[in-house]
Structures are given as structure tokens and as C-alpha cells.
Amino acid sequence: MLAESLALSAALFAIGVIGVLTRRNAIILFMCIELMLNAVNLSLVALSKVYGASGEVFVLFVITVAAAEAAVGLAIVISIFRHRQSVNLDDINLLKG
């Protein structure tokens, strides 16, 4: 059960990394980051069943950070969309000097 959970977690994390590295849409980028965070959560829960209950506490922290990241990130994306009419990361060059 542990090996299957860790394998699924690794697969989900790899899909998230591939999505972050290849996609240029900000919304899809956020979804891939969430996928990677959930993969980490899955591995923490699977490992907590074997080594103790502290992994579930870390999952709560990760979920909290993910919710805050999603709220702030989506607010930024909506603001950029209102000004640029696009969420393509190649079109966003506001921080370039």
C-alpha cells in the first residue's frame, strides 16, 4: 500500500513539474502547482501511516499555504487579465527593466 501511494505521488508530482515547465498559461501553471502540492500531501499521508501521525499535521499546513497561494495568485492573474486581456506568461513583462 505504501509503495503504490508513493508511486502515485511521484507520478502526480512529475505531471505537475512537466506542466509547470511546458505550459505558458498562468491558470494552468497554478493548477500544476496545486497538483504538485497534492502529490506531496499524498506522500505525507502515506508515510504518516507508517512512521506516525505528524505527516497529517504537515498536510494541514500545506493545504493552508496552497489556499493562500491560490487566493493571492488568482487575484494577481485577474488583475493582469484586466490590463492585458491575456494570461499568457510570455505576454507579461511587467517586472522586466
Side-chain angles (χ1 to χ4, degrees):
M1 183 70 182
L2 178 65
E4 292 89 5
S5 299
L6 293 177
L8 177 63
S9 174
L12 289 175
F13 193 84
I15 291 170
V17 168
I18 290 170
V20 166
L21 294 177
T22 59
R23 303 300 292 226
R24 303 306 307 162
N25 188 329
I27 302 295
I28 293 175
L29 190 78
F30 278 123
M31 290 171 50
C32 290
I33 291 171
E34 294 291 328
L35 187 63
M36 288 191 295
L37 290 173
N38 284 327
V40 171
N41 285 342
L42 179 62
S43 64
L44 285 173
V45 168
L47 290 173
S48 73
K49 295 293 182 190
V50 176
Y51 296 110
S54 63
E56 290 145 355
V57 175
F58 286 123
V59 168
L60 288 176
F61 286 125
V62 170
I63 288 173
T64 304
V65 169
E69 173 257 337
V72 171
L74 287 176
I76 292 171
V77 167
I78 288 172
S79 175
I80 289 172
F81 181 76
R82 286 183 180 170
H83 291 289
R84 300 282 176 143
Q85 299 299 319
S86 173
V87 291
N88 190 354
L89 295 178
D90 291 331
D91 297 337
I92 301 170
N93 56 4
L94 297 173
L95 296 179
K96 289 183 180 175

Coordinates of all heavy atoms in Angstrom, one line a residue:
M1 N 0.8 -1.2 0.0 CA 0.0 0.0 0.0 C 0.9 1.3 0.0 O 0.6 2.2 -0.7 CB -0.9 0.0 1.2 CG -1.9 1.1 1.3 SD -3.1 1.0 0.0 CE -4.0 2.4 0.2
L2 N 2.0 1.2 0.8 CA 2.8 2.4 0.8 C 3.6 2.6 -0.5 O 3.6 3.8 -1.0 CB 3.9 2.2 1.9 CG 4.9 3.4 2.1 CD1 4.2 4.6 2.5 CD2 6.0 3.0 3.1
A3 N 4.0 1.5 -1.1 CA 4.7 1.7 -2.4 C 3.8 2.2 -3.5 O 4.2 3.1 -4.3 CB 5.3 0.3 -2.8
E4 N 2.6 1.7 -3.5 CA 1.6 2.2 -4.5 C 1.3 3.7 -4.3 O 1.2 4.5 -5.3 CB 0.3 1.4 -4.5 CG 0.5 0.0 -5.0 CD 0.9 -0.9 -3.8 OE1 0.9 -0.5 -2.7 OE2 1.1 -2.1 -4.1
S5 N 1.1 4.1 -3.0 CA 0.8 5.5 -2.7 C 2.0 6.4 -3.1 O 1.8 7.5 -3.7 CB 0.5 5.7 -1.3 OG -0.6 4.9 -0.9
L6 N 3.2 6.0 -2.8 CA 4.4 6.8 -3.2 C 4.6 6.8 -4.7 O 5.0 7.9 -5.2 CB 5.6 6.3 -2.5 CG 5.6 6.4 -0.9 CD1 6.9 5.8 -0.4 CD2 5.5 7.9 -0.6
A7 N 4.3 5.7 -5.4 CA 4.4 5.7 -6.8 C 3.4 6.7 -7.4 O 3.7 7.4 -8.4 CB 4.2 4.3 -7.4
L8 N 2.1 6.7 -6.9 CA 1.1 7.6 -7.4 C 1.5 9.0 -7.1 O 1.4 9.9 -8.0 CB -0.2 7.3 -6.8 CG -1.4 8.2 -7.2 CD1 -1.7 8.1 -8.7 CD2 -2.6 7.8 -6.4
S9 N 2.1 9.3 -6.0 CA 2.5 10.6 -5.6 C 3.6 11.1 -6.5 O 3.6 12.2 -7.0 CB 3.0 10.6 -4.1 OG 3.5 11.8 -3.8
A10 N 4.6 10.2 -6.8 CA 5.7 10.6 -7.7 C 5.1 10.9 -9.1 O 5.6 11.8 -9.8 CB 6.7 9.5 -7.7
A11 N 4.2 10.1 -9.6 CA 3.6 10.3 -10.9 C 2.9 11.6 -11.0 O 3.0 12.4 -11.9 CB 2.7 9.2 -11.3
L12 N 2.1 11.9 -9.9 CA 1.4 13.2 -9.9 C 2.3 14.4 -9.8 O 2.1 15.4 -10.5 CB 0.4 13.3 -8.7 CG -0.8 12.4 -8.8 CD1 -1.6 12.4 -7.5 CD2 -1.7 12.7 -9.9
F13 N 3.4 14.2 -9.1 CA 4.4 15.3 -8.9 C 5.1 15.5 -10.3 O 5.3 16.7 -10.7 CB 5.4 15.0 -7.8 CG 6.2 16.2 -7.5 CD1 5.8 17.1 -6.5 CD2 7.5 16.3 -8.0 CE1 6.5 18.2 -6.2 CE2 8.3 17.4 -7.7 CZ 7.8 18.3 -6.8
A14 N 5.4 14.4 -11.0 CA 6.1 14.5 -12.3 C 5.2 15.2 -13.3 O 5.6 16.0 -14.1 CB 6.5 13.2 -12.8
I15 N 3.9 14.9 -13.3 CA 2.9 15.5 -14.2 C 2.9 17.0 -13.9 O 2.8 17.9 -14.8 CB 1.5 14.9 -14.1 CG1 1.6 13.5 -14.7 CG2 0.5 15.7 -14.8 CD1 0.4 12.6 -14.4
G16 N 2.9 17.4 -12.6 CA 2.9 18.8 -12.2 C 4.1 19.5 -12.7 O 4.0 20.6 -13.2
V17 N 5.3 18.9 -12.5 CA 6.5 19.5 -12.9 C 6.5 19.7 -14.5 O 6.9 20.8 -15.0 CB 7.7 18.7 -12.5 CG1 9.0 19.1 -13.1 CG2 7.9 18.8 -11.0
I18 N 6.1 18.7 -15.2 CA 6.0 18.8 -16.6 C 5.1 19.9 -17.1 O 5.4 20.7 -18.0 CB 5.6 17.5 -17.3 CG1 6.7 16.5 -17.1 CG2 5.3 17.6 -18.7 CD1 6.4 15.0 -17.5
G19 N 4.0 20.1 -16.4 CA 3.0 21.1 -16.7 C 3.6 22.5 -16.4 O 3.4 23.4 -17.2
V20 N 4.3 22.7 -15.3 CA 4.9 24.0 -15.0 C 6.0 24.3 -16.0 O 6.1 25.5 -16.4 CB 5.5 23.9 -13.5 CG1 6.4 25.1 -13.3 CG2 4.4 23.9 -12.5
L21 N 6.8 23.3 -16.4 CA 7.9 23.6 -17.3 C 7.4 23.8 -18.8 O 8.1 24.5 -19.5 CB 8.9 22.5 -17.3 CG 9.6 22.3 -15.9 CD1 10.6 21.1 -16.0 CD2 10.4 23.6 -15.6
T22 N 6.3 23.3 -19.2 CA 5.9 23.4 -20.6 C 4.8 24.3 -20.9 O 4.7 24.8 -22.0 CB 5.5 22.0 -21.1 OG1 4.4 21.5 -20.3 CG2 6.7 21.0 -21.0
R23 N 3.9 24.6 -19.9 CA 2.8 25.5 -20.2 C 3.1 26.9 -20.0 O 3.9 27.2 -19.1 CB 1.6 25.0 -19.4 CG 1.2 23.6 -19.6 CD 0.9 23.3 -21.0 NE -0.4 23.9 -21.4 CZ -1.4 23.4 -22.0 NH1 -1.3 22.2 -22.5 NH2 -2.5 24.0 -22.2
R24 N 2.4 27.8 -20.7 CA 2.7 29.2 -20.5 C 1.4 30.0 -20.1 O 1.4 31.2 -20.0 CB 3.1 29.8 -21.9 CG 4.4 29.2 -22.4 CD 5.6 29.2 -21.5 NE 5.9 30.5 -20.9 CZ 6.6 30.7 -19.9 NH1 7.1 29.7 -19.2 NH2 6.9 31.9 -19.4
N25 N 0.4 29.3 -19.8 CA -0.9 29.9 -19.3 C -0.8 29.9 -17.7 O -0.5 28.9 -17.1 CB -2.1 29.0 -19.7 CG -3.4 29.7 -19.4 OD1 -3.5 30.4 -18.4 ND2 -4.4 29.5 -20.2
A26 N -1.1 31.1 -17.1 CA -0.9 31.3 -15.7 C -1.9 30.4 -14.9 O -1.6 29.9 -13.9 CB -1.1 32.7 -15.3
I27 N -3.1 30.2 -15.4 CA -4.1 29.4 -14.7 C -3.7 27.9 -14.7 O -3.7 27.3 -13.6 CB -5.5 29.5 -15.4 CG1 -6.0 31.0 -15.4 CG2 -6.5 28.6 -14.7 CD1 -6.2 31.6 -14.0
I28 N -3.2 27.4 -15.8 CA -2.7 26.1 -15.9 C -1.5 25.9 -15.0 O -1.3 24.9 -14.3 CB -2.5 25.6 -17.3 CG1 -3.8 25.6 -18.1 CG2 -1.8 24.3 -17.4 CD1 -3.7 25.3 -19.5
L29 N -0.7 26.9 -14.9 CA 0.5 26.9 -14.1 C 0.1 26.7 -12.6 O 0.7 25.9 -11.8 CB 1.3 28.2 -14.2 CG 2.7 28.2 -13.6 CD1 3.7 27.4 -14.5 CD2 3.1 29.6 -13.5
F30 N -0.9 27.5 -12.2 CA -1.4 27.3 -10.8 C -2.0 25.9 -10.6 O -1.8 25.4 -9.5 CB -2.5 28.4 -10.5 CG -1.9 29.7 -10.1 CD1 -2.3 30.8 -10.8 CD2 -1.1 29.8 -9.1 CE1 -1.8 32.1 -10.5 CE2 -0.5 31.0 -8.7 CZ -0.9 32.2 -9.5
M31 N -2.7 25.4 -11.5 CA -3.3 24.1 -11.4 C -2.2 23.0 -11.3 O -2.3 22.1 -10.5 CB -4.2 23.7 -12.6 CG -5.5 24.5 -12.6 SD -6.4 24.4 -14.0 CE -6.6 22.7 -14.2
C32 N -1.1 23.2 -12.0 CA 0.1 22.2 -11.9 C 0.8 22.4 -10.6 O 1.2 21.3 -10.0 CB 1.0 22.5 -13.1 SG 0.4 22.0 -14.7
I33 N 0.9 23.6 -10.0 CA 1.5 23.7 -8.7 C 0.6 23.1 -7.7 O 1.1 22.4 -6.7 CB 1.7 25.2 -8.4 CG1 2.8 25.8 -9.3 CG2 2.0 25.5 -6.9 CD1 3.0 27.3 -9.3
E34 N -0.7 23.2 -7.8 CA -1.6 22.6 -6.9 C -1.5 21.1 -7.0 O -1.6 20.3 -5.9 CB -3.1 23.0 -7.1 CG -3.4 24.5 -6.9 CD -3.3 24.8 -5.4 OE1 -3.7 23.9 -4.6 OE2 -2.9 25.9 -5.1
L35 N -1.3 20.5 -8.2 CA -1.1 19.1 -8.3 C 0.1 18.6 -7.6 O 0.1 17.6 -7.0 CB -1.1 18.8 -9.8 CG -1.1 17.3 -10.2 CD1 -2.3 16.6 -9.7 CD2 -0.9 17.1 -11.7
M36 N 1.2 19.4 -7.7 CA 2.4 19.0 -7.0 C 2.2 19.1 -5.5 O 2.7 18.2 -4.8 CB 3.6 20.0 -7.5 CG 4.0 19.7 -8.9 SD 5.6 20.6 -9.3 CE 5.1 22.3 -9.2
L37 N 1.5 20.1 -5.0 CA 1.3 20.2 -3.6 C 0.4 19.0 -3.1 O 0.7 18.4 -2.0 CB 0.6 21.5 -3.2 CG 1.5 22.7 -3.4 CD1 0.7 24.0 -3.1 CD2 2.7 22.7 -2.4
N38 N -0.5 18.6 -3.9 CA -1.4 17.5 -3.5 C -0.6 16.2 -3.6 O -0.9 15.2 -2.8 CB -2.6 17.4 -4.4 CG -3.6 18.4 -3.9 OD1 -3.7 18.8 -2.7 ND2 -4.4 19.0 -4.9
A39 N 0.4 16.1 -4.5 CA 1.2 14.9 -4.6 C 2.1 14.8 -3.3 O 2.2 13.7 -2.7 CB 2.1 14.9 -5.8
V40 N 2.6 15.9 -2.8 CA 3.3 15.9 -1.6 C 2.4 15.5 -0.4 O 2.8 14.8 0.5 CB 4.0 17.3 -1.4 CG1 4.6 17.4 0.0 CG2 5.0 17.5 -2.4
N41 N 1.2 16.0 -0.4 CA 0.2 15.7 0.6 C 0.0 14.2 0.7 O -0.1 13.6 1.7 CB -1.1 16.4 0.4 CG -1.0 17.9 0.8 OD1 -0.1 18.3 1.5 ND2 -1.9 18.7 0.3
L42 N -0.2 13.6 -0.5 CA -0.4 12.2 -0.6 C 0.7 11.4 0.0 O 0.5 10.4 0.8 CB -0.7 11.8 -2.0 CG -1.0 10.3 -2.3 CD1 -2.2 9.8 -1.5 CD2 -1.1 10.0 -3.7
S43 N 1.9 11.8 -0.3 CA 3.1 11.1 0.2 C 3.2 11.3 1.7 O 3.6 10.4 2.4 CB 4.4 11.5 -0.5 OG 4.6 12.9 -0.3
L44 N 2.9 12.5 2.2 CA 3.0 12.7 3.6 C 1.9 11.9 4.4 O 2.3 11.3 5.4 CB 2.7 14.2 3.9 CG 3.8 15.2 3.6 CD1 3.4 16.6 3.8 CD2 5.0 14.9 4.5
V45 N 0.7 11.7 3.8 CA -0.3 10.9 4.5 C 0.1 9.4 4.5 O 0.0 8.7 5.4 CB -1.6 11.1 3.9 CG1 -2.6 10.1 4.3 CG2 -2.2 12.5 4.2
A46 N 0.7 9.0 3.3 CA 1.1 7.6 3.2 C 2.2 7.3 4.2 O 2.2 6.3 4.8 CB 1.5 7.3 1.8
L47 N 3.2 8.2 4.3 CA 4.3 8.0 5.2 C 3.9 8.1 6.7 O 4.5 7.5 7.5 CB 5.4 8.9 4.9 CG 6.2 8.7 3.5 CD1 7.1 9.8 3.2 CD2 6.8 7.3 3.6
S48 N 2.9 9.0 6.9 CA 2.4 9.1 8.3 C 1.8 7.8 8.8 O 1.8 7.6 10.0 CB 1.5 10.3 8.5 OG 0.2 10.0 7.9
K49 N 1.2 7.1 7.9 CA 0.6 5.8 8.4 C 1.7 4.8 8.8 O 1.4 4.0 9.7 CB -0.2 5.2 7.2 CG -1.4 5.9 6.8 CD -2.4 5.9 7.9 CE -3.7 6.7 7.4 NZ -4.6 6.9 8.5
V50 N 2.9 5.0 8.3 CA 4.0 4.0 8.7 C 4.8 4.6 9.8 O 5.1 3.9 10.8 CB 4.9 3.8 7.4 CG1 6.1 2.9 7.8 CG2 4.1 3.2 6.3
Y51 N 5.1 5.9 9.8 CA 6.0 6.4 10.7 C 5.4 7.3 11.8 O 6.1 7.8 12.7 CB 7.1 7.3 10.0 CG 7.9 6.5 9.1 CD1 7.8 6.6 7.7 CD2 8.8 5.5 9.6 CE1 8.6 5.8 6.9 CE2 9.6 4.7 8.8 CZ 9.4 4.9 7.4 OH 10.2 4.1 6.6
G52 N 4.1 7.5 11.8 CA 3.5 8.3 12.9 C 2.5 9.3 12.3 O 2.3 9.4 11.1
A53 N 1.8 10.0 13.2 CA 0.7 10.9 12.8 C 1.2 12.3 12.4 O 0.3 13.2 12.1 CB -0.3 10.9 13.8
S54 N 2.4 12.6 12.5 CA 2.8 14.0 12.3 C 2.7 14.4 10.8 O 2.6 15.6 10.5 CB 4.3 14.2 12.7 OG 5.2 13.4 12.0
G55 N 2.7 13.5 9.9 CA 2.5 13.9 8.5 C 1.2 14.5 8.2 O 1.1 15.4 7.3
E56 N 0.1 14.2 8.9 CA -1.2 14.8 8.7 C -1.2 16.2 9.1 O -1.9 17.0 8.6 CB -2.2 13.9 9.4 CG -2.4 12.6 8.7 CD -2.8 11.5 9.7 OE1 -2.7 11.8 10.9 OE2 -3.0 10.4 9.2
V57 N -0.4 16.6 10.1 CA -0.3 17.9 10.6 C 0.4 18.8 9.5 O 0.0 19.9 9.2 CB 0.5 18.0 11.9 CG1 0.7 19.5 12.3 CG2 -0.2 17.3 13.0
F58 N 1.4 18.2 8.9 CA 2.1 18.9 7.8 C 1.1 19.1 6.6 O 1.2 20.1 5.9 CB 3.3 18.2 7.3 CG 4.5 18.3 8.3 CD1 5.1 17.1 8.8 CD2 5.0 19.5 8.6 CE1 6.1 17.2 9.7 CE2 6.0 19.6 9.5 CZ 6.6 18.5 10.1
V59 N 0.3 18.1 6.4 CA -0.7 18.2 5.3 C -1.6 19.4 5.5 O -1.9 20.2 4.6 CB -1.5 16.9 5.1 CG1 -2.7 17.1 4.2 CG2 -0.6 15.8 4.6
L60 N -2.0 19.7 6.7 CA -2.9 20.8 7.0 C -2.1 22.1 6.7 O -2.7 23.1 6.2 CB -3.3 20.8 8.5 CG -4.4 19.7 8.8 CD1 -4.6 19.7 10.3 CD2 -5.6 20.0 8.1
F61 N -0.8 22.2 7.1 CA 0.0 23.4 6.8 C 0.1 23.6 5.3 O -0.1 24.7 4.8 CB 1.3 23.3 7.4 CG 1.4 23.5 8.9 CD1 1.9 22.6 9.7 CD2 0.8 24.6 9.4 CE1 1.9 22.7 11.1 CE2 0.8 24.8 10.8 CZ 1.4 23.9 11.6
V62 N 0.3 22.5 4.5 CA 0.4 22.6 3.1 C -0.9 23.0 2.5 O -0.9 23.9 1.5 CB 0.9 21.2 2.5 CG1 0.8 21.2 1.0 CG2 2.3 20.9 2.9
I63 N -2.0 22.5 2.9 CA -3.3 22.9 2.4 C -3.5 24.4 2.7 O -4.1 25.1 1.8 CB -4.4 22.0 3.0 CG1 -4.3 20.6 2.4 CG2 -5.8 22.6 2.7 CD1 -5.3 19.7 3.1
T64 N -3.1 24.9 3.9 CA -3.3 26.3 4.2 C -2.5 27.2 3.3 O -2.9 28.2 2.7 CB -2.9 26.5 5.7 OG1 -3.7 25.7 6.5 CG2 -3.1 28.0 6.1
V65 N -1.2 26.8 3.1 CA -0.3 27.5 2.2 C -0.9 27.5 0.7 O -0.9 28.5 0.0 CB 1.1 27.0 2.3 CG1 2.0 27.6 1.2 CG2 1.7 27.3 3.6
A66 N -1.4 26.4 0.3 CA -1.9 26.3 -1.0 C -3.2 27.1 -1.2 O -3.3 27.8 -2.3 CB -2.3 24.8 -1.3
A67 N -4.0 27.2 -0.2 CA -5.2 28.1 -0.3 C -4.8 29.5 -0.4 O -5.3 30.3 -1.2 CB -6.1 27.8 0.9
A68 N -3.8 29.9 0.4 CA -3.3 31.3 0.4 C -2.7 31.6 -0.9 O -2.9 32.7 -1.5 CB -2.4 31.6 1.5
E69 N -1.9 30.7 -1.4 CA -1.2 30.9 -2.7 C -2.2 31.0 -3.8 O -2.1 31.9 -4.7 CB -0.3 29.7 -3.0 CG 0.4 29.7 -4.3 CD -0.3 28.7 -5.3 OE1 -0.9 27.7 -4.8 OE2 -0.2 28.9 -6.5
A70 N -3.3 30.2 -3.8 CA -4.3 30.2 -4.8 C -5.1 31.6 -4.8 O -5.3 32.2 -5.8 CB -5.3 29.1 -4.7
A71 N -5.4 32.0 -3.6 CA -6.1 33.3 -3.5 C -5.3 34.5 -4.0 O -5.8 35.3 -4.8 CB -6.6 33.5 -2.0
V72 N -4.1 34.6 -3.5 CA -3.2 35.7 -4.0 C -2.9 35.6 -5.5 O -3.0 36.6 -6.2 CB -2.0 35.7 -3.1 CG1 -1.0 36.7 -3.7 CG2 -2.3 36.0 -1.7
G73 N -2.6 34.4 -5.9 CA -2.2 34.2 -7.3 C -3.4 34.5 -8.2 O -3.2 35.1 -9.3
L74 N -4.6 34.0 -7.9 CA -5.7 34.3 -8.8 C -6.1 35.8 -8.8 O -6.5 36.3 -9.8 CB -6.9 33.4 -8.3 CG -6.8 32.0 -8.7 CD1 -8.0 31.2 -8.2 CD2 -6.7 31.8 -10.2
A75 N -5.9 36.4 -7.7 CA -6.1 37.9 -7.7 C -5.1 38.6 -8.6 O -5.5 39.5 -9.3 CB -6.0 38.4 -6.2
I76 N -3.9 38.2 -8.6 CA -2.9 38.8 -9.4 C -3.2 38.5 -10.9 O -3.1 39.3 -11.8 CB -1.5 38.3 -9.1 CG1 -1.1 38.8 -7.7 CG2 -0.4 38.6 -10.1 CD1 0.2 38.2 -7.1
V77 N -3.6 37.2 -11.2 CA -3.9 36.9 -12.6 C -5.1 37.6 -13.1 O -5.1 38.1 -14.2 CB -4.1 35.3 -12.6 CG1 -4.8 35.0 -14.0 CG2 -2.8 34.6 -12.5
I78 N -6.1 37.8 -12.2 CA -7.3 38.6 -12.6 C -6.9 40.0 -12.9 O -7.4 40.6 -13.9 CB -8.4 38.5 -11.6 CG1 -9.0 37.1 -11.6 CG2 -9.5 39.5 -11.8 CD1 -10.0 36.8 -10.5
S79 N -6.1 40.6 -12.1 CA -5.6 42.0 -12.3 C -4.8 42.1 -13.6 O -5.0 43.1 -14.4 CB -4.8 42.4 -11.1 OG -4.3 43.7 -11.3
I80 N -4.0 41.2 -13.8 CA -3.2 41.2 -15.1 C -4.1 41.0 -16.3 O -4.0 41.7 -17.3 CB -2.1 40.1 -15.0 CG1 -1.0 40.6 -14.0 CG2 -1.5 39.9 -16.4 CD1 0.0 39.5 -13.8
F81 N -5.1 40.1 -16.2 CA -6.0 39.9 -17.3 C -6.8 41.1 -17.6 O -7.1 41.4 -18.8 CB -7.0 38.7 -17.0 CG -7.9 38.4 -18.1 CD1 -7.5 37.8 -19.2 CD2 -9.2 38.8 -18.0 CE1 -8.4 37.5 -20.2 CE2 -10.1 38.5 -19.0 CZ -9.7 37.9 -20.1
R82 N -7.2 41.9 -16.6 CA -8.0 43.1 -16.8 C -7.1 44.2 -17.6 O -7.7 44.9 -18.3 CB -8.4 43.7 -15.5 CG -9.6 42.9 -14.9 CD -10.1 43.6 -13.6 NE -11.2 42.8 -13.1 CZ -11.7 43.0 -11.9 NH1 -11.2 43.9 -11.1 NH2 -12.7 42.2 -11.5
H83 N -5.8 44.2 -17.4 CA -5.0 45.1 -18.0 C -4.5 44.7 -19.4 O -4.3 45.4 -20.3 CB -3.8 45.5 -17.1 CG -4.2 46.3 -15.9 ND1 -4.6 47.6 -16.0 CD2 -4.2 45.9 -14.6 CE1 -4.9 48.0 -14.8 NE2 -4.7 47.0 -13.9
R84 N -4.2 43.4 -19.5 CA -3.5 42.8 -20.7 C -4.5 42.0 -21.6 O -4.1 41.7 -22.7 CB -2.3 42.0 -20.3 CG -1.3 42.6 -19.5 CD -0.4 43.4 -20.4 NE 0.5 44.2 -19.7 CZ 1.8 44.4 -20.1 NH1 2.2 44.0 -21.2 NH2 2.6 45.1 -19.3
Q85 N -5.6 41.6 -21.1 CA -6.6 40.8 -21.8 C -5.9 39.4 -22.2 O -6.3 38.8 -23.2 CB -7.1 41.4 -23.0 CG -7.8 42.7 -22.8 CD -9.1 42.5 -21.9 OE1 -9.8 41.5 -22.1 NE2 -9.3 43.4 -20.9
S86 N -5.0 39.0 -21.4 CA -4.3 37.7 -21.6 C -3.7 37.2 -20.3 O -3.3 37.9 -19.5 CB -3.2 37.8 -22.7 OG -2.5 36.6 -22.8
V87 N -3.7 35.8 -20.2 CA -3.0 35.2 -19.0 C -1.8 34.5 -19.5 O -1.2 33.7 -18.7 CB -3.9 34.3 -18.2 CG1 -5.0 35.2 -17.5 CG2 -4.6 33.3 -19.1
N88 N -1.3 34.7 -20.7 CA -0.1 34.0 -21.2 C 1.1 34.7 -20.6 O 1.3 35.9 -20.6 CB -0.1 34.2 -22.8 CG 1.0 33.3 -23.4 OD1 1.8 32.7 -22.6 ND2 1.0 33.3 -24.7
L89 N 1.9 33.8 -20.0 CA 3.1 34.3 -19.3 C 4.1 35.0 -20.2 O 4.9 35.8 -19.7 CB 3.7 33.2 -18.5 CG 2.8 32.6 -17.4 CD1 3.6 31.5 -16.7 CD2 2.5 33.7 -16.4
D90 N 4.1 34.7 -21.5 CA 5.0 35.3 -22.4 C 4.6 36.8 -22.6 O 5.5 37.6 -22.9 CB 5.1 34.6 -23.7 CG 5.7 33.2 -23.6 OD1 6.6 33.1 -22.7 OD2 5.4 32.3 -24.4
D91 N 3.4 37.1 -22.5 CA 2.9 38.5 -22.7 C 3.1 39.4 -21.5 O 3.0 40.6 -21.5 CB 1.4 38.5 -23.1 CG 1.2 37.8 -24.4 OD1 2.1 37.7 -25.2 OD2 0.0 37.3 -24.6
I92 N 3.4 38.8 -20.3 CA 3.5 39.5 -19.1 C 5.0 39.8 -18.9 O 5.8 39.0 -18.6 CB 3.0 38.7 -17.9 CG1 1.5 38.4 -18.1 CG2 3.2 39.5 -16.6 CD1 1.0 37.4 -17.1
N93 N 5.3 41.1 -19.0 CA 6.7 41.5 -18.9 C 6.8 42.8 -18.0 O 7.6 43.7 -18.2 CB 7.4 41.8 -20.2 CG 6.6 42.8 -21.0 OD1 5.6 43.4 -20.5 ND2 7.1 43.1 -22.2
L94 N 5.9 42.8 -17.0 CA 5.8 44.0 -16.1 C 7.0 44.2 -15.2 O 7.4 45.3 -14.9 CB 4.6 43.9 -15.2 CG 3.2 43.8 -15.9 CD1 2.1 43.5 -14.9 CD2 3.0 45.1 -16.6
L95 N 7.7 43.1 -14.9 CA 8.9 43.2 -14.0 C 10.2 43.3 -14.7 O 11.3 43.5 -14.1 CB 8.9 42.0 -13.1 CG 7.8 41.9 -12.1 CD1 7.9 40.6 -11.2 CD2 7.7 43.1 -11.2
K96 N 10.2 43.3 -16.0 CA 11.4 43.5 -16.8 C 11.8 44.9 -16.8 O 11.0 45.8 -16.9 CB 11.3 43.0 -18.2 CG 11.1 41.5 -18.3 CD 11.1 41.0 -19.8 CE 11.0 39.5 -19.9 NZ 10.8 39.1 -21.2
G97 N 13.1 45.2 -16.7 CA 13.6 46.6 -16.5 C 13.5 47.4 -17.7 O 12.7 47.8 -18.5

